[in-house]
Amino acid sequence: MSIECLLLGAGQEVGKSCVVATIGGKRIMFDCGMHMGYHDHRHYPDFARALALWGAPDFTTAISCVVITHFHLDHIGALPYFTEVCGYDGPIYMTYPTKALAPFMLEDYRKVTMDRRGEEEQYSYEDILRCMKKVIPLDLKQTVHVDKDLVIRAYYAGHVLGAAMIYAKVGDAAMVYTGDYNMTPDRHLGAAQIDHLKLDLLITESTYAKTIRDSRHAREREFLKAVHKCVSGGGKVLIPTFALGRAQELCMLLDDYWERMSLKVPIYFSAGLTIQANMYYKMLIGWTSQKIKDSHAVHNPFDFKHVCHFERSFINNPGPCVLFATPGMISGGFSLEAFKKWAPSEKNLITLPGYCVAGTVGHKLMSGKPTRINLDKDTHIDVRCQIHQLAFSPHTDSKGIMDLIEFLSPKHVILVHGEKPQMAFLKERIESELGMPCYYPGNNESVSIPTTKNLKMSATERFITSCAAEQGKRRGHKGNLVCGASVSEVIGSSEDMDVAEGILLMNKQKAPKILCDDELAEVLGMERHLVQFEPMVSRIEAAVQSELQRAKAADSGSEGNE
Amino acid sequence: MADPDVLSSAYPAAASSSVRKHPAPLDDSLAASSDGGPSFAKRPKAATEPPTPGGSAASPEVDVLALVSLTAGIYPLARAEALRGLSEVVERADASCSVGSGIVECSYECAVELMRDEDEGVRLAVVRLVGACAQKFSARVDADANGYGDLMDIIFLQLSFMARDMCTQVRIEAFSALGKMQQVSEGVLLQSLSKKVIKTDTMCGSIINGQKLPPKLKIPCAAGVFSHGIEDEFYQVRTVACQSLGALAKFSKQYAEKALDLLMDMMNDDTRAVRLQTLQALFQMATYGCLSVQEKHMHMFLGLLVDTSALIRDAARKILGLVTLPKLQMFKSAVDGLVTSLEKNPEEQDLYGILFSIGKNHGSFSANIAKHLAKEITMASDGELILDKPRVKALLIVSISAPFSNDKHKKLDIPSAIFSHAISLLGKVSCALGDVNQDLLLSYLCHKSGMPFWENRSISAEFGESESCSVQTMEIGAHIENTAKATKCVDEAIVMQSMKAILETVEGAWTMRMSCNICEVRTILRTCKEELNVLAESSSGSIGAFLSFLCEYLDATQLIIEIWQLIQLDNSYTFGLTSVEILLEKLDISIRRMECCFVGLNRELEVQVLELSLIAHLFRLSNIGVCKVVLGKLLQVINRLEGLSADGSYELSGLSGEIKKAFDDNLTGVNLISNIHTLFELFRLKPTTDFGMLKAIRAVLQVSDNDSENPSSYVSGLPVGVSFNIFLWNISSHHKLWIRMTIGESVQFTFLDFSCFGCNDDMKSGSMVAPLYATPMVCSFVLRVCLVMECPYGGNSTHWGGHGGPSDCVVQLSDELDVYFVSTWQS
């Protein structure tokens, strides 16, 4: 048995996350995102090609379920296209907050793209609504039986409100797809949290495969210092953010600081979306950090005291202000509008998010210090304002990725959602330091992971008794506690102490059974295998060593080897 | 899927396997050890018993063996329990002997194997066990430092790995275990602060404190564990992380510096508990002298001095009082900060003490301040300078602290004007210095300021520089604690003093009882009682218990006087309930309370109580006439008194002697009654002030969610449950407590089984639901509830005999509560 893993997106790149894992005949699609940097066919994952590969008549039969980890467009953007245009009609799972917030994100993006380019609309607002109707909401740690064999479960991932890591299991084969996650808590979200699971495969994001970030406290201090300096100099601060997540965290930080320093400079939210999002945050307190959960009864931290009502015309007002505008990478929309207005003045400050997709204005600002940005053929913007690179990021850093991998200790690791050189570096580290095979396939490539299969078998009483006796003895030996084992015993102080000897009897009709050496005489022609012995007495789950020569066993009943 | 017969067949096998080995020849390790003898001698005994966990305490090896084999089981709860058992064994093990160290090693190995267990509970137990093992290891490390140095590093890294666990409890436990580590090499400590893996090959050459660094960081996860810890989502984890961060600082200077940076960031934490713990950690670092404050940190400290929370301010000040600031500028800003704090919160007088010690720690800086201040004083000679200004006061204190500093090598001349001005601050200065004789201080100040003083002794020799110069940082920390203790002692002394004064008044009043107006005596007693009550409320422990005992005693005294007055007025026998009867009953209750509600009555106190009960019985005799029952009780009391005086160290008082004589003469009660006047004359009130380890039995009864606005509902005629929260102080298992529930005339007793209550030192607490069986057929009623205790001895009045309640007389322990009920069924 194996896990077949096909990357439809986010292979050696960031954007359009979409991984299809086939476990024991069940196909699960993790995330269904779009790529924000492209506007051609690369915009969406190549679903048609995958369908041809699988040789299935349609998507509904080919795929058992779709699981969406969180509401960012590069994880959910292609979902309405997939369901409404491609015609997938199977179950779709996502957490409650994701289900609540996703329509806003999708609709916002649809409108923005329509405004800007008049680009051919891939799906309509009605499509979004129809698509969301098919969604089955998930709760954290809720075990969902998708069908008889397939089980999925969501774990808290930090990152954004409602982000989840997905555990999927078919038979004995189990895997986790992390989606995006954060191992350190921030002002409003907790850290990722998962149980110790026995995994064959871990698919993890690797946005910061090489970076190790310093402490959050220092980051906050620097951000506040920059903003305070700017507004006290009479400048305007533009903070382009995603509507959900970063905006709330930064705003909590600023609101708190404004309170402490008793500042009077207004803080604005540009879009109604953000304000609506704040409302959702207030409702979804259960998904936020411990601190907020503890204190929201007294004061809801999403009731910002210093945030003022905003009109579009305020953009031309004199005097200092702080403006949160979408989208985060200044790829269009209101943040671009404000950027055009404010960039030419030295007094102003633009903060940039931690990560910008290539091709966006944000990316251009990040790479080097441009004085002039060409939007298109006839539009140029002079950039004289200060630029503050936000080190805030909802993604975990390389230390966090390593920590998670080490904690889960899966048998194999696949890296997605990162840039190729950094992924190669991280792969090296994982293989050398943790000793796990690691892969980072590109888009439309697939990886096959072997899985273990556990076989239940019974054992004779004598076998168990002798094993338990050996075990007790060995334990004692280790600590030099029991001294002087009688020399006649065969079991010495060799390295592989946990191996017990026995004979595995396999028969097509009967359940497999383990016997002692000398019991072999009772039954003729038994096959001998080396078995792994789960310590203690009550249950033996032996792992059959590598090649079970089933065929031969079927022919002649059995055959002795070793 | 436990198969019982498999289990049963496996156990004897395991046992027999260990049995087989015992008589076998000695292994090398034991043969080499010196004390192999005794442990070998234990073997045969152990071999006869099956290795049940916790069974054979005599041979811990067998326990360990059994527990270790259990840790490999498939049930997580069993694994965790086995690990907990191992920690118990390890904690008791003596690591210095070879058997003990074998146990510790074996347990440690076992714990390490389970470090990545799937179950949280098991991992939690692993952390505890590893922590316990580490302590045992470090206890014996001195034997061969090189061998175990590496081991301690490895344990530190393993614990660091556990501190990145997903389970909050595990993280908390891991951080607290990290804080207790010792003999960790500097490289490993530094690595715990930085998430980036420090290249080990650069440090391989450097051997710090004779310990080699571990060759390679085998667990990459362990890096920067503290920078993760202080960012944790849960404040409990952050708190422990801060604590451990500070605790480890004493081992390495370089580490301390970097840890300080991390801790400084924690001052911005959004939870106050974390901020306080951070300050506590800094204080600890300062006491160990490893806190080197730099300019960049000053801003944070000054902010803390004007924090809105008094606790934070206080903690920040204490730290400032201990640190050494490298620059004059920093010193000045610190003093300014303290002055601002003083101006904002003038009620916080302990600030002067801090000012004094900060001044003393920086002799030359404070001399500098003194010079400027002297100039200021002379400039403003026409009275502009007002000494009341907090700033001037503060600076004066700082200035006069300079001569006490450690900077011996520099001659610090403080202008005499400073000292003459400081005289007016005598009280504050002496306060700042701790307990210093004010006269001595005054003479010192006068001497320094060149003023003539009435006592021209050589003051400096007796008091002054020489005395406090050699104070080290450590001692100052201790001194601060001592002062806190001293104030408590002082409080107690004051209470004792006023208590004695009160008792003298009481004795005086007692002698007045014959001659003077009874009313006056009563007033005096009442006032004394009130005073005692006030004292009792503010004290705790034995003294508090004694004060409440005295209140009770005065109650009884007052009752005796009142009864005596009534008896004198009307000496004829009366029947039925008279006021004397009521007063007698009250006296009985009062005496009973003294007998039963205090634990640890010493002999004097017991004699006091017994004499009171003698008087009470006499009164009863005189009231109701000769009565066998009362006489019997009287005899009991006399016997008890005799028993107490049996060893000869105490003599029977006049009263008891007289009554005993009457009994010895085998007379009936008649002559006692006729002699009552003489007998009463003999009674002396001698309250003792020696109370020993007296403890008061107390109880508080609460009913949840019930008041007159919010009554509980019931169906009339059917039983109803009343849920109580109960808190018990100094109650032990032999006490019998009952809940008394009264509705009008009918009483129901419910026995209180407090064996399952949570216990915490002297206090037990718990909650229970008591059923009230017979609810009345009315639409609402008030239930009166209180906790009563059965008297262990004494009275044989069986008031409640028929109700299945307490058999003997009872003492009410808690206040009576009203519980309101409303019928749900209303037609």
Side-chain angles (χ1 to χ4, degrees):
Chain A
M1 197 163 135
S2 67
I3 300 179
E4 202 77 37
C5 202
L6 171 66
L7 266 72
L8 290 179
Q12 302 173 2
E13 64 167 1
V14 176
K16 60 167 176 183
S17 290
C18 187
V19 176
V20 180
T22 313
I23 320 171
K26 303 284 168 191
R27 245 180 229 119
I28 313 155
M29 180 185 279
F30 295 105
D31 282 340
C32 191
M34 61 160 75
H35 200 297
M36 314 272 282
Y38 301 119
H39 299 284
D40 47 18
H41 68 280
R42 291 173 296 176
H43 194 50
Y44 290 139
D46 197 346
F47 296 121
R49 184 185 156 139
L51 191 64
L53 192 74
W54 298 324
D58 56 34
F59 288 106
T60 316
T61 47
I63 290 177
S64 307
C65 72
V66 175
V67 190
I68 305 291
T69 55
H70 64 281
F71 58 70
H72 278 159
L73 287 174
D74 59 334
H75 291 260
I76 200 176
L79 186 65
Y81 173 79
F82 185 57
T83 60
E84 304 310 309
V85 181
C86 297
Y88 171 73
D89 200 25
I92 305 164
Y93 293 95
M94 55 178 81
T95 61
Y96 283 96
T98 309
K99 189 182 177 187
L101 293 163
F104 294 99
M105 294 294 284
L106 291 166
E107 175 60 8
D108 187 61
Y109 183 75
R110 196 184 63 87
K111 272 196 216 146
V112 167
T113 46
M114 260 173 42
D115 282 0
R116 197 181 47 181
R117 307 258 158 122
E119 156 185 323
E120 194 195 327
E121 201 190 327
Q122 300 273 25
Y123 48 81
S124 64
Y125 180 57
E126 284 68 36
D127 284 338
I128 297 175
L129 291 185
R130 268 201 300 277
C131 167
M132 294 318 289
K133 266 195 187 142
K134 295 175 191 164
V135 170
I136 306 165
L138 268 180
D139 216 332
L140 287 183
K141 296 201 178 175
Q142 175 194 1
T143 306
V144 176
H145 292 268
V146 178
D147 55 30
K148 196 161 76 31
D149 304 312
L150 175 60
V151 166
I152 59 169
R153 197 183 304 149
Y155 288 97
Y156 193 77
H159 189 61
V160 288
L161 197 69
M165 304 200 246
I166 307 296
Y167 166 76
K169 185 179 171 198
V170 177
D172 291 322
M175 63 170 291
V176 163
Y177 174 80
T178 63
D180 294 352
Y181 62 99
N182 194 358
M183 293 289 280
T184 48
D186 61 24
R187 285 254 161 183
H188 73 302
L189 294 173
Q193 214 259 330
I194 194 163
D195 293 334
H196 230 302
L197 302 159
K198 269 195 181 129
L199 296 181
D200 295 302
L201 171 65
L202 174 71
I203 304 179
T204 172
E205 66 134 322
S206 51
T207 322
Y208 294 102
K210 219 172 169 178
T211 333
I212 293 180
R213 275 178 291 138
D214 53 357
S215 111
R216 190 188 84 215
H217 303 284
R219 268 176 275 153
E220 290 182 353
R221 205 173 45 213
E222 262 160 45
F223 170 71
L224 290 173
K225 211 167 85 186
V227 171
H228 195 174
K229 211 175 105 194
C230 175
V231 292
S232 54
K236 295 173 163 56
V237 183
L238 172 65
I239 308 178
T241 55
F242 289 115
L244 298 148
R246 203 58 20 200
Q248 278 75 21
E249 181 182 3
L250 293 179
C251 195
M252 280 175 79
L253 189 60
L254 284 180
D255 202 53
D256 208 40
Y257 189 72
W258 254 234
E259 184 76 23
R260 268 193 286 157
M261 297 287 152
S262 40
L263 293 176
K264 295 281 175 277
V265 177
I267 301 174
Y268 299 124
F269 275 138
S270 74
L273 174 60
T274 321
I275 291 155
Q276 246 168 343
N278 282 348
M279 254 167 57
Y280 275 98
Y281 267 80
K282 276 185 229 171
M283 287 191 293
L284 299 164
I285 286 291
W287 294 72
T288 56
S289 77
Q290 195 59 37
K291 158 87 181 161
I292 296 181
K293 274 188 251 178
D294 291 344
S295 68
H296 82 278
V298 184
H299 165 69
N300 194 321
F302 296 106
D303 281 328
F304 301 114
K305 278 187 207 148
H306 299 268
V307 172
C308 310
H309 173 72
F310 183 71
E311 302 274 333
R312 288 207 156 211
S313 59
F314 285 9
I315 195 171
N316 298 316
N317 282 5
C321 71
V322 177
L323 172 67
F324 285 89
T326 51
M329 301 175 188
I330 327 186
S331 51
F334 195 71
S335 63
L336 186 61
E337 204 175 309
F339 176 73
K340 280 186 207 161
K341 281 261 159 42
W342 293 356
S345 164
E346 294 97 3
K347 279 199 291 182
N348 296 343
L349 173 77
I350 313 276
T351 66
L352 290 177
Y355 183 83
C356 286
V357 171
T360 57
V361 175
H363 190 262
K364 285 176 197 158
L365 287 172
M366 265 166 75
S367 39
K369 282 209 164 178
T371 48
R372 162 177 274 240
I373 283 183
N374 303 327
L375 270 190
D376 47 51
K377 274 186 207 131
D378 355 87
T379 333
H380 313 285
I381 309 168
D382 290 322
V383 181
R384 288 192 211 93
C385 63
Q386 309 149 50
I387 290 168
H388 178 86
Q389 172 96 45
L390 284 182
F392 292 90
S393 171
H395 292 277
T396 185
D397 61 355
S398 118
K399 177 76 171 40
I401 299 173
M402 291 295 283
D403 286 358
L404 185 79
I405 298 175
E406 195 177 355
F407 179 78
L408 288 173
S409 304
K411 295 206 178 65
H412 303 269
V413 180
I414 290 182
L415 302 178
V416 296
H417 200 279
E419 277 154 7
K420 196 176 174 185
Q422 279 90 323
M423 288 165 106
F425 174 80
L426 186 63
K427 169 197 151 78
E428 268 319 299
R429 275 196 67 192
I430 293 171
E431 290 191 338
S432 65
E433 288 176 22
L434 303 176
M436 295 163 193
C438 179
Y439 318 89
Y440 56 107
N443 279 348
N444 297 320
E445 288 176 20
S446 75
V447 177
S448 178
I449 307 283
T451 61
T452 47
K453 181 164 168 59
N454 295 334
L455 202 61
K456 266 192 187 157
M457 54 187 70
S458 54
T460 58
E461 201 177 302
R462 268 197 58 188
F463 177 74
I464 294 168
T465 325
S466 70
C467 282
E470 295 304 333
Q471 184 202 346
K473 215 163 13 189
R474 269 181 262 121
R475 286 277 171 177
H477 265 292
K478 274 187 193 168
N480 286 335
L481 266 177
V482 173
C483 319
S486 67
V487 194
S488 62
E489 301 274 2
V490 187
I491 302 285
S493 54
S494 65
E495 280 299 307
D496 48 351
M497 286 201 180
D498 287 323
V499 181
E501 267 180 70
I503 291 163
L504 178 67
L505 165 64
M506 286 182 70
N507 195 316
K508 252 195 172 176
Q509 281 81 40
K510 292 179 194 163
K513 191 163 191 173
I514 306 174
L515 316 166
C516 266
D517 279 358
D518 32 4
E519 280 175 316
L520 187 62
E522 294 167 26
V523 198
L524 278 174
M526 292 302 129
E527 196 177 355
R528 221 181 215 203
H529 283 254
L530 210 55
V531 295
Q532 196 110 34
F533 175 62
E534 178 88 27
M536 268 318 281
V537 274
S538 52
R539 185 169 57 177
I540 300 292
E541 281 188 0
V544 183
Q545 200 189 25
S546 56
E547 325 79 20
L548 300 171
Q549 298 169 337
R550 272 171 192 265
K552 287 181 188 174
D555 290 345
S556 59
S558 64
E559 176 183 307
N561 64 351
E562 205 272 312
Chain B
M1 300 254 273
D3 200 346
D5 53 84
V6 172
L7 265 172
S8 58
S9 64
Y11 256 111
S16 69
S17 80
S18 51
V19 168
R20 245 182 295 152
K21 262 162 268 147
H22 288 310
L26 280 174
D27 193 271
D28 296 350
S29 71
L30 252 196
S33 76
S34 55
D35 57 352
S39 64
F40 187 62
K42 276 176 214 151
R43 287 268 160 77
K45 185 195 164 208
T48 57
E49 295 165 7
T52 48
S56 47
S59 55
E61 304 100 305
V62 181
D63 284 354
V64 171
L65 213 67
L67 288 170
V68 165
S69 67
L70 282 174
T71 57
I74 56 164
Y75 296 106
L77 287 179
R79 285 200 299 270
E81 204 56 55
L83 285 169
R84 273 193 283 275
L86 278 178
S87 338
E88 289 279 314
V89 178
V90 165
E91 262 160 40
R92 276 179 217 154
D94 176 15
S96 54
C97 73
S98 79
V99 175
S101 72
I103 289 171
V104 176
E105 249 165 56
C106 181
S107 312
Y108 169 67
E109 262 172 49
C110 177
V112 170
E113 265 174 38
L114 290 173
M115 244 169 57
R116 287 162 194 265
D117 198 275
E118 283 158 49
D119 187 77
E120 290 172 359
V122 176
R123 294 202 300 273
L124 187 63
V126 163
V127 175
R128 287 197 181 132
L129 180 53
V130 171
C133 289
Q135 275 173 349
K136 290 289 167 189
F137 281 133
S138 63
R140 63 163 192 189
V141 158
D142 355 314
D144 44 348
N146 288 329
Y148 288 117
D150 274 2
L151 179 62
M152 295 310 277
D153 285 352
I154 289 165
I155 295 178
F156 190 88
L157 292 177
Q158 277 161 345
L159 284 174
S160 302
F161 167 72
M162 299 304 283
R164 286 293 285 147
D165 199 274
M166 291 281 176
C167 168
T168 318
Q169 275 303 320
V170 176
R171 289 203 297 271
I172 293 174
E173 202 63 42
F175 274 115
S176 79
L178 279 176
K180 289 177 196 141
M181 290 291 288
Q182 282 169 1
Q183 279 136 337
V184 183
S185 64
E186 192 171 41
V188 173
L189 282 179
L190 289 176
Q191 181 65 78
S192 73
L193 298 177
S194 154
K195 281 192 209 174
K196 295 199 174 78
V197 176
I198 299 170
K199 286 271 187 309
T200 39
D201 46 60
T202 56
M203 299 200 301
C204 257
S206 67
I207 293 168
I208 300 154
N209 299 337
Q211 289 173 17
K212 272 205 321 215
L213 288 157
K216 200 184 160 229
L217 186 61
K218 287 206 187 75
I219 313 165
C221 216
V225 61
F226 281 118
S227 29
H228 286 297
I230 59 167
E231 281 182 24
D232 200 276
E233 182 179 353
F234 292 85
Y235 76 92
Q236 295 94 330
V237 181
R238 293 201 299 271
T239 313
V240 184
C242 283
Q243 194 177 354
S244 300
L245 197 57
L248 290 169
K250 55 180 179 266
F251 297 122
S252 155
K253 196 155 188 177
Q254 209 183 339
Y255 168 86
E257 273 170 28
K258 294 198 171 161
L260 179 61
D261 289 342
L262 286 186
L263 284 173
M264 276 299 168
D265 273 339
M266 292 313 286
M267 303 289 190
N268 274 334
D269 196 275
D270 45 15
T271 312
R272 191 162 63 148
V274 179
R275 291 204 297 271
L276 269 175
Q277 183 54 58
T278 310
L279 285 166
Q280 186 69 41
L282 288 175
F283 181 76
Q284 205 184 354
M285 283 168 74
T287 4
Y288 281 104
C290 52
L291 183 71
S292 60
V293 179
Q294 288 158 29
E295 203 128 28
K296 60 181 174 183
H297 304 135
M298 277 320 280
H299 177 73
M300 193 67 84
F301 266 120
L302 300 182
L304 289 170
L305 285 177
V306 289
D307 198 282
T308 41
S309 154
L311 282 171
I312 300 259
R313 283 200 303 269
D314 187 54
R317 278 200 299 264
K318 272 190 187 148
I319 295 168
L320 269 188
L322 288 184
V323 292
T324 319
L325 303 168
K327 287 185 192 155
L328 177 63
Q329 197 48 48
M330 285 164 73
F331 175 74
K332 275 189 176 158
S333 64
V335 172
D336 286 346
L338 285 168
V339 169
T340 327
S341 173
L342 184 64
E343 278 164 355
K344 280 201 175 166
N345 312 285
E347 73 282 357
E348 288 173 355
Q349 295 291 328
D350 64 320
L351 224 150
Y352 290 110
I354 302 296
L355 279 167
F356 189 85
S357 64
I358 193 176
K360 196 179 67 192
N361 290 346
H362 308 83
S364 49
F365 294 162
S366 25
N368 183 304
I369 292 234
K371 248 175 249 163
H372 285 280
L373 185 66
K375 227 179 269 173
E376 207 176 319
I377 289 172
T378 42
M379 297 262 278
S381 52
D382 50 344
E384 262 178 76
L385 179 99
I386 305 154
L387 268 180
D388 280 353
K389 265 197 203 157
R391 195 182 87 85
V392 180
K393 277 194 225 169
L395 291 183
L396 271 175
I397 299 262
V398 172
S399 306
I400 60 160
S401 70
F404 296 87
S405 92
N406 296 333
D407 303 1
K408 269 283 158 198
H409 51 94
K410 273 185 212 155
K411 181 88 183 90
L412 302 167
D413 42 310
I414 310 297
S416 57
I418 296 287
F419 289 100
S420 52
H421 277 82
I423 292 174
S424 60
L425 295 174
L426 186 66
K428 295 212 164 70
V429 176
S430 72
C431 212
L433 276 170
D435 283 329
V436 170
N437 188 346
Q438 287 212 1
D439 290 341
L440 214 54
L441 186 64
L442 180 60
S443 62
Y444 167 73
L445 289 177
C446 289
H447 167 78
K448 278 284 188 182
S449 58
M451 277 185 202
F453 189 63
W454 53 276
E455 201 176 356
N456 262 331
R457 285 187 284 164
S458 69
I459 296 133
S460 300
E462 205 172 315
F463 168 81
E465 290 99 300
S466 57
E467 190 181 319
S468 353
C469 270
S470 59
V471 183
Q472 297 295 315
T473 3
M474 263 308 276
E475 288 169 32
I476 296 171
H479 178 71
I480 288 176
E481 276 160 33
N482 278 343
T483 331
K485 246 180 245 166
T487 35
K488 209 183 154 201
C489 286
V490 167
D491 285 350
E492 239 167 62
I494 290 169
V495 169
M496 280 302 284
Q497 218 163 9
S498 41
M499 193 173 70
K500 273 179 193 153
I502 291 171
L503 289 184
E504 274 165 29
T505 327
V506 170
E507 277 178 71
W510 179 256
T511 49
M512 280 159 59
R513 76 194 185 277
M514 298 295 174
S515 52
C516 292
N517 189 351
I518 279 290
C519 284
E520 200 177 321
V521 177
R522 208 186 292 164
T523 324
I524 291 171
L525 284 177
R526 198 181 299 135
T527 347
C528 288
K529 214 168 68 187
E530 270 163 24
E531 268 184 69
L532 276 178
N533 267 325
V534 170
L535 285 176
E537 260 161 39
S538 58
S539 349
S540 59
S542 291
I543 195 158
F546 182 57
L547 286 169
S548 48
F549 177 84
L550 278 183
C551 289
E552 214 53 76
Y553 189 79
L554 288 195
D555 256 342
T557 316
Q558 200 181 337
L559 285 167
I560 288 174
I561 288 174
E562 280 177 30
I563 297 169
W564 180 244
Q565 193 191 17
L566 286 176
I567 289 177
Q568 273 182 318
L569 285 180
D570 176 20
N571 208 2
S572 60
Y573 301 153
T574 43
F575 292 94
L577 270 178
T578 60
S579 59
V580 179
E581 193 93 6
I582 294 169
L583 288 174
L584 272 173
E585 195 59 41
K586 275 188 181 175
L587 183 59
D588 269 353
I589 290 174
S590 187
I591 290 169
R592 216 182 293 151
R593 289 182 68 87
M594 274 187 271
E595 278 173 339
C596 303
C597 292
F598 294 91
V599 182
L601 283 174
N602 60 17
R603 194 171 57 193
E604 275 97 300
L605 292 178
E606 198 172 346
V607 169
Q608 266 183 37
V609 177
L610 289 173
E611 296 221 321
L612 284 181
S613 74
L614 275 186
I615 288 289
H617 290 317
L618 279 182
F619 282 164
R620 202 169 273 282
L621 275 183
S622 84
N623 192 35
I624 60 173
V626 179
C627 162
K628 277 255 164 63
V629 178
V630 181
L631 275 176
K633 281 189 196 169
L634 204 52
L635 187 60
Q636 258 179 17
V637 175
I638 285 292
N639 286 342
R640 177 86 189 113
L641 275 170
E642 237 184 329
L644 283 173
S645 65
D647 65 344
S649 60
Y650 151 80
E651 266 182 38
L652 284 183
S653 68
L655 172 71
S656 23
E658 203 58 38
I659 297 176
K660 186 178 172 313
K661 228 193 290 168
F663 271 104
D664 288 346
D665 296 347
N666 206 6
L667 291 178
T668 49
V670 187
N671 50 350
L672 280 180
I673 295 168
S674 53
N675 277 343
I676 192 154
H677 278 268
T678 8
L679 287 173
F680 191 63
E681 288 292 315
L682 281 170
F683 178 63
R684 296 272 174 275
L685 197 67
K686 285 186 308 223
T688 169
T689 51
D690 174 24
F691 52 86
M693 294 299 292
L694 195 66
K695 281 180 186 169
I697 292 176
R698 277 197 307 134
V700 168
L701 190 66
Q702 289 172 350
V703 176
S704 29
D705 297 335
N706 187 293
D707 53 54
S708 56
E709 297 291 311
N710 176 26
S712 307
S713 52
Y714 76 104
V715 180
S716 47
L718 289 183
V720 66
V722 194
S723 69
F724 296 106
N725 293 326
I726 297 167
F727 304 88
L728 307 170
W729 282 268
N730 298 316
I731 298 266
S732 51
S733 51
H734 67 267
H735 289 122
K736 289 186 186 128
L737 302 190
W738 298 77
I739 296 177
R740 185 173 71 197
M741 295 188 271
T742 323
I743 316 167
E745 292 293 297
S746 75
V747 179
Q748 185 201 314
F749 282 96
T750 308
F751 186 69
L752 180 65
D753 178 21
F754 50 86
S755 55
C756 54
F757 276 22
C759 194
N760 164 24
D761 292 339
D762 303 332
M763 209 259 281
K764 289 188 174 68
S765 66
S767 52
M768 66 169 290
V769 177
L772 173 67
Y773 293 109
T775 47
M777 304 297 273
V778 288
C779 49
S780 71
F781 68 95
V782 177
L783 181 68
R784 313 213 66 195
V785 189
C786 73
L787 261 186
V788 295
M789 182 169 75
E790 225 173 287
C791 287
Y793 48 85
N796 45 6
S797 52
T798 48
H799 294 293
W800 339 104
H803 297 76
S807 55
D808 267 332
C809 55
V810 294
V811 177
Q812 185 175 332
L813 277 187
S814 70
D815 294 336
E816 209 162 25
L817 268 182
D818 286 346
V819 190
Y820 300 87
F821 281 94
V822 158
S823 169
T824 48
W825 183 70
Q826 283 163 342
S827 48

